[in-house]
Amino acid sequence: MSSNLNRASRAGRLAAILMGGSALAGFLPVHAIAQTGTEAASAAEVVTVTAQRREQNILDVPYNITAVSGDQIEKLQIRDNAELMRSIPGVTIVDRGERNGSVVNGIRIRGLNVDSSALGDYSVSAASTVSTYVNDTPIFSNFMLKDIERVEVLKGPQATLYGSGSLGGTVRYILRSPEFDSFTGSATVTASQVSGSSNVGYSEDLTLNVPLGETVAFRATATRFDYPGITDYVNVYKRGADKIPTYTGSIFANNNYTFISKKDADNWDGWYGRASLLWKPASNFDITFNVMGQSDKFGGRRAQTLGMNGFGVPYKDKQSGAMLLEPGDREVWLASAEANLDLGFATLTSSSSYYDHQGSLVSDNTGFYAQNGWLGAFYYNYPRPLAEADRTYGDKAFIQEVRLVSNSSGPWDYAVGFYYQNQIQSGTQDSYLRGFKNWADAFWLGPFVISDQDYLYRRSEQFTETALYGELTYHVNDKLQFTGGLRAFKGTSNAHVYQVTGLYTSYNETSNTTGSTDKTKLLFKGNVSYKFLDDDLFYATISQGYRRGGSNGTPTTGFFAESPAWLSYSPDTVVNYEAGLKGTWGDIIYNIDAFYVDWNKPQLNTATTFWGFFAVANGKSATTKGIEAQIDGYAGNWHYGLGYTFTQAELGADLYTADGLILINKKGADLPGAPEHILTGALDYTVPMDDDSLTLHLDGYYQSKTQNTISSATSSLNSVDYPGQPKYYAPMDGFAIFNASATYAMGDWTATAWVKNIFDSQGVTGVYTEAYMGTSPSQNYYGNASKEIYALPRTIGLTINYKFK
């Protein structure tokens, strides 16, 4: 009897630790340390995940899954997804800051990435290698981390259990549901100061849970936030109401403009809100209606310029050399209805949802024009060059999913589902050389120049998918089980691209192209797991992943023609092989797995060979392989966690541009943004106290060096006339980020003092090189649009929370 109780206690503590934070890697709730005996055994019953579409103890999930509880997100004041993902072994992220964080999904699992880390100013055409869900809705929106039950990170393809398939993995944000028990709520106020900023940021949160009877409950949360910027825009053109740089004297003079500066330009403010209504008219039926939204405004980008301006003055840290401010805004709404009917033998679930995500960004492209030589070759060294790109992005969809998940306790378990998605994505760009028309009118070019606008781009794509998916598990006995899964689907894409290029009467061409794809595919998954000890599990998985293809709409005739090879791109697929062990060894909790991913026809978001139109191209193959290992230990009031990931991600064949004209990189080249080594760690100490509690926490993250792009430094793509620098290729140093917090709880009040990025590490995860966007005084361009994308600098904050009933 005592041995069984000890095993239950150990399993309960393990489950509580795993669910309390980043599984086997660092975040630990204090109460889990103190639990012993029957308390821990009972905890094992309520600590659950739903990764396999049914409630399960996390110890019984036969593959690598990480779960982070909402309590720990709140307790450690995890501010954004970049910080959250850095806590999870095997996961990296391009930290683009708030302005670009919602445009392109920067989450990368197991090194599956070919794209440049500098992407993010426009919405790319190819889908991400990692799918993200809010409850049952597949959406990438970068919502604020508020009132969350938990975040589950599933590594490897998930096509046989989730309607929206993925190549590398799935991240699920599971929101807290309304509760019938009692009226509860909380109010939170946070103030913070970022290194390099002259102002204090704040956020205010209010959450209410209101029972409206025995069968209806309501829950709502609202957040208002205002964070000052940290980036100084130091050489911005002074402009008039017409957005044209102002000048004194002659319109032909070169140095008669005015530069102004804007301190802390990249401010971020907005609001987030969610309301949920749960109706449970019978014990076996419930339906939850959910509406959530977020609105953001950005004053500029978090980035710092490399090198010097055109006058030879070096830029300092946290300074931007852009010639104009780069504001942005976005708004996202999501509405869903999720119903569950317990049929006894199985649970039938229906999820209907609709979302609409829209945003806009202003970007300085003057450096891009300069380094392509266009200011001199096409624009006659216009004396006040200012290339402005006004971009928008949009994503809206209706999703319907129905699934049936068995409740039986026999040898067979199953989960089957039907999935339908109707998605419309859009992207626009209007590029201007501000003031060029006025200057040309005063010069001899007047009759030949149409306007300041030299590029117009409109893209829309409608994607529909219908899928049947499911998994069947056979439990041979209490220790051994086999699982097989299939996904059969049909996807149809219809794309329309309209472009107008050039501002001269003789070079002003229009392309209006459409393209469609229609693909039917069958994917499989196989899994075996064996519990060789009471708390120790071996598992092995083979699974397929798939990402849809599409049309680029590239012009193939006229002055701006590209090869027809750029017109469309093919789907890419992976086969994921994985084997691992997880369990306990004395007071140590461990998880170790090895993986190998074979990637066929990897998609690359890139640009066409001659004129740089937006496009996606396919390579031949790539592979990623590695080991993920984590341990957790606890002793009394102490807890420690360590995680290590080794990843080798490389091309499996030479990579060429779509038209075959340029060798981008050779077989064996490292994939970009995929560090070979990642270390995570955490240390917690609970100060013994009678009634109140004090928790001290320290965590750290390290990643080894990476590179910015798949292009080799010696590729002809990188050959430009810039001193010793390739155009796209940029090595990025490894970095470490450490965070700390102290939480004091007294009754209904909690106060947390916290520090992010203690040593103010730059944490660079993306680069726009000087050879790509740097200064060029010979073309009258004295600014510098090169930049490094870096992590949030050292931030000190205080959060006070009050819970009421």
Side-chain angles (χ1 to χ4, degrees):
M1 175 70 177
S2 61
S3 62
N4 290 335
L5 181 58
N6 289 335
R7 282 196 295 268
S9 172
R10 186 170 60 175
R13 283 182 291 172
L14 171 60
I17 289 173
L18 293 178
M19 280 305 301
S22 178
L24 305 171
F27 299 142
L28 180 68
V30 178
H31 68 268
I33 303 175
Q35 287 178 330
T36 59
T38 56
E39 291 182 1
S42 63
E45 298 174 3
V46 298
V47 176
T48 58
V49 294
T50 55
Q52 297 197 110
R53 296 302 198 180
R54 58 170 53 85
E55 292 187 348
Q56 285 181 292
N57 189 313
I58 194 172
L59 302 178
D60 295 328
V61 177
Y63 52 83
N64 195 327
I65 173 178
T66 296
V68 183
S69 74
D71 288 341
Q72 287 306 105
I73 290 173
E74 294 171 4
K75 183 178 296 183
L76 301 180
Q77 293 302 303
I78 298 176
R79 177 172 139 168
D80 56 28
N81 278 283
E83 182 184 353
L84 175 64
M85 293 302 144
R86 281 195 294 261
S87 73
I88 299 171
V91 181
T92 59
I93 189 167
V94 181
D95 190 354
R96 299 184 175 96
E98 289 81 10
R99 175 183 177 273
N100 296 91
S102 61
V103 184
V104 177
N105 186 344
I107 303 172
R108 296 164 178 175
I109 295 179
R110 292 177 172 170
L112 282 174
N113 173 67
V114 185
D115 288 344
S116 167
S117 298
L119 292 176
D121 260 24
Y122 60 91
S123 57
V124 297
S125 299
S128 172
T129 60
V130 176
S131 65
T132 55
Y133 274 75
V134 175
N135 285 348
D136 279 339
T137 303
I139 176 178
F140 174 71
S141 60
N142 212 22
F143 278 116
M144 300 194 78
L145 301 172
K146 300 294 181 180
D147 203 33
I148 288 177
E149 181 67 29
R150 66 184 177 277
V151 178
E152 297 178 1
V153 179
L154 291 61
K155 299 172 186 175
Q158 304 297 325
T160 58
L161 275 180
Y162 291 87
S164 176
S166 65
L167 292 180
T170 296
V171 179
R172 303 179 64 216
Y173 300 89
I174 301 169
L175 308 177
R176 287 180 178 142
S177 297
E179 299 174 352
F180 297 111
D181 297 341
S182 61
F183 171 82
T184 59
S186 66
T188 305
V189 177
T190 297
S192 60
Q193 172 74 51
V194 184
S195 174
S197 177
S198 57
N199 295 297
V200 174
Y202 72 87
S203 66
E204 302 163 342
D205 307 309
L206 178 64
T207 299
L208 295 174
N209 184 86
V210 184
L212 299 175
E214 296 183 356
T215 62
V216 181
F218 174 78
R219 188 178 188 91
T221 186
T223 298
R224 178 73 177 92
F225 55 91
D226 190 345
Y227 295 107
I230 55 178
T231 305
D232 299 336
Y233 279 59
V234 295
N235 49 230
V236 174
Y237 274 127
K238 183 179 180 181
R239 299 200 284 172
D242 55 7
K243 299 184 180 181
I244 296 174
T246 58
Y247 60 91
T248 58
S250 171
I251 193 173
F252 303 111
N254 285 346
N255 296 314
N256 56 351
Y257 49 81
T258 302
F259 280 156
I260 59 175
S261 63
K262 175 72 172 178
K263 187 173 178 57
D264 299 342
D266 56 322
N267 58 290
W268 173 40
D269 69 273
W271 58 263
Y272 165 85
R274 178 172 71 95
S276 296
L277 184 70
L278 170 61
W279 180 44
K280 190 176 178 66
S283 60
N284 65 337
F285 176 76
D286 65 79
I287 183 169
T288 302
F289 300 96
N290 186 65
V291 177
M292 59 193 301
Q294 183 168 332
S295 178
D296 305 285
K297 290 186 178 180
F298 317 102
R301 72 171 84 229
R302 188 176 75 206
Q304 57 192 22
T305 293
L306 303 163
M308 299 179 292
N309 63 23
F311 303 105
V313 179
Y315 289 96
K316 300 178 181 178
D317 288 349
K318 303 181 182 69
Q319 286 188 343
S320 171
M323 306 290 284
L324 75 160
L325 297 177
E326 300 175 292
D329 62 77
R330 72 98 178 222
E331 192 167 284
V332 56
W333 291 94
L334 167 62
S336 64
E338 300 171 3
N340 300 285
L341 176 63
D342 188 347
L343 301 172
F345 67 93
T347 298
L348 179 65
T349 299
S350 171
S351 174
S352 306
S353 57
Y354 175 81
Y355 68 80
D356 190 353
H357 185 188
Q358 307 288 332
S360 66
L361 297 170
V362 176
S363 302
D364 179 13
N365 261 9
T366 318
F368 175 73
Y369 280 43
Q371 294 311 315
N372 279 289
W374 295 350
L375 297 178
F378 298 136
Y379 302 111
Y380 300 91
N381 288 320
Y382 168 52
R384 288 165 295 280
L386 178 61
E388 176 182 334
D390 296 344
R391 299 183 172 112
T392 70
Y393 59 93
D395 180 12
K396 56 185 178 181
F398 170 77
I399 300 104
Q400 177 62 54
E401 188 167 0
V402 179
R403 62 181 177 272
L404 188 69
V405 180
S406 63
N407 296 331
S408 63
S409 58
W412 295 95
D413 284 330
Y414 58 85
V416 294
F418 166 81
Y419 175 83
Y420 171 78
Q421 178 183 15
N422 185 358
Q423 180 183 29
I424 298 176
Q425 294 180 307
S426 62
T428 74
Q429 177 169 322
D430 292 280
S431 295
Y432 303 90
L433 194 64
R434 295 294 188 185
F436 184 72
K437 170 65 173 172
N438 288 349
W439 178 82
D441 286 345
F443 202 38
W444 62 274
L445 294 172
F448 306 102
V449 177
I450 300 172
S451 69
D452 285 352
Q453 185 166 2
D454 59 357
Y455 184 56
L456 179 148
Y457 175 82
R458 301 288 184 269
R459 174 183 174 84
S460 63
E461 180 179 11
Q462 182 175 21
F463 175 73
T464 58
E465 182 176 6
T466 303
L468 294 172
Y469 65 89
E471 291 188 1
L472 180 66
T473 299
Y474 176 58
H475 302 271
V476 179
N477 50 45
D478 291 341
K479 297 181 178 294
L480 179 65
Q481 67 177 27
F482 294 92
T483 297
L486 291 174
R487 172 188 173 89
F489 66 96
K490 179 179 181 179
T492 301
S493 170
N494 293 286
H496 178 207
V497 178
Y498 176 76
Q499 299 178 98
V500 181
T501 308
L503 49 67
Y504 294 96
T505 54
S506 56
Y507 295 111
N508 182 254
E509 294 189 355
T510 297
S511 65
N512 192 4
T513 60
T514 59
S516 62
T517 60
D518 195 328
K519 187 72 174 180
T520 301
K521 185 75 173 177
L522 182 68
L523 304 176
F524 74 88
K525 172 183 176 180
N527 173 271
V528 59
S529 63
Y530 179 70
K531 189 169 281 192
F532 56 94
L533 293 174
D534 288 343
D535 298 324
D536 299 85
L537 184 72
F538 165 80
Y539 58 88
T541 301
I542 302 175
S543 56
Q544 286 184 311
Y546 173 90
R547 179 168 53 166
R548 68 179 188 250
S551 301
N552 290 318
T554 306
T556 57
T557 60
F559 183 81
F560 300 102
E562 297 279 1
S563 167
W566 288 102
L567 282 174
S568 63
Y569 57 98
S570 301
D572 56 349
T573 58
V574 300
V575 180
N576 175 75
Y577 304 88
E578 177 181 351
L581 299 169
K582 61 181 179 181
T584 62
W585 182 32
D587 288 333
I588 300 293
I589 304 159
Y590 69 89
N591 187 0
I592 182 169
D593 69 81
F595 62 88
Y596 177 86
V597 184
D598 188 4
W599 194 358
N600 185 43
K601 295 184 178 180
Q603 293 176 9
L604 170 65
N605 285 288
T606 183
T608 57
T609 306
F610 295 109
W611 295 103
F613 295 115
F614 303 129
V616 182
N618 292 98
K620 289 186 177 180
S621 66
T623 60
T624 73
K625 54 188 175 182
I627 296 173
E628 298 161 332
Q630 306 97 46
I631 62 170
D632 265 276
Y634 52 91
N637 293 326
W638 288 94
H639 165 258
Y640 60 89
L642 292 172
Y644 169 71
T645 302
F646 169 80
T647 304
Q648 187 178 61
E650 59 187 26
L651 286 176
D654 291 350
L655 177 64
Y656 287 85
T657 54
D659 50 22
L661 297 179
I662 298 176
L663 176 65
I664 299 174
N665 215 327
K666 295 182 178 181
K667 177 181 178 180
D670 293 337
L671 301 188
E676 194 169 75
H677 306 283
I678 299 176
L679 287 170
T680 58
L683 184 66
D684 294 274
Y685 179 69
T686 304
V687 179
M689 304 180 76
D690 292 333
D691 297 321
D692 306 334
S693 66
L694 175 62
T695 307
L696 306 177
H697 173 87
L698 175 69
D699 66 75
Y701 168 88
Y702 166 79
Q703 73 172 50
S704 59
K705 64 181 181 179
T706 58
Q707 64 192 45
N708 187 60
T709 178
I710 191 61
S711 300
S712 72
T714 57
S715 170
S716 60
L717 288 173
N718 282 310
S719 300
V720 294
D721 185 19
Y722 207 90
Q725 292 187 18
K727 188 172 185 179
Y728 303 108
Y729 175 84
M732 296 181 289
D733 294 335
F735 62 88
I737 293 178
F738 293 89
N739 310 304
S741 65
T743 301
Y744 184 76
M746 181 179 62
D748 295 326
W749 291 89
T750 302
T752 301
W754 47 270
V755 183
K756 308 293 183 187
N757 198 355
I758 298 172
F759 302 106
D760 206 15
S761 170
Q762 289 191 345
V764 175
T765 53
V767 178
Y768 298 72
T769 68
E770 290 185 83
Y772 178 46
M773 299 193 80
T775 190
S776 180
S778 65
Q779 298 180 89
N780 295 320
Y781 174 50
Y782 291 91
N784 189 330
S786 70
K787 57 189 75 73
E788 291 179 326
I789 302 169
Y790 60 93
L792 181 72
R794 179 172 55 243
T795 305
I796 300 173
L798 176 65
T799 300
I800 298 176
N801 173 266
Y802 174 68
K803 294 183 178 180
F804 52 88
K805 300 177 181 179

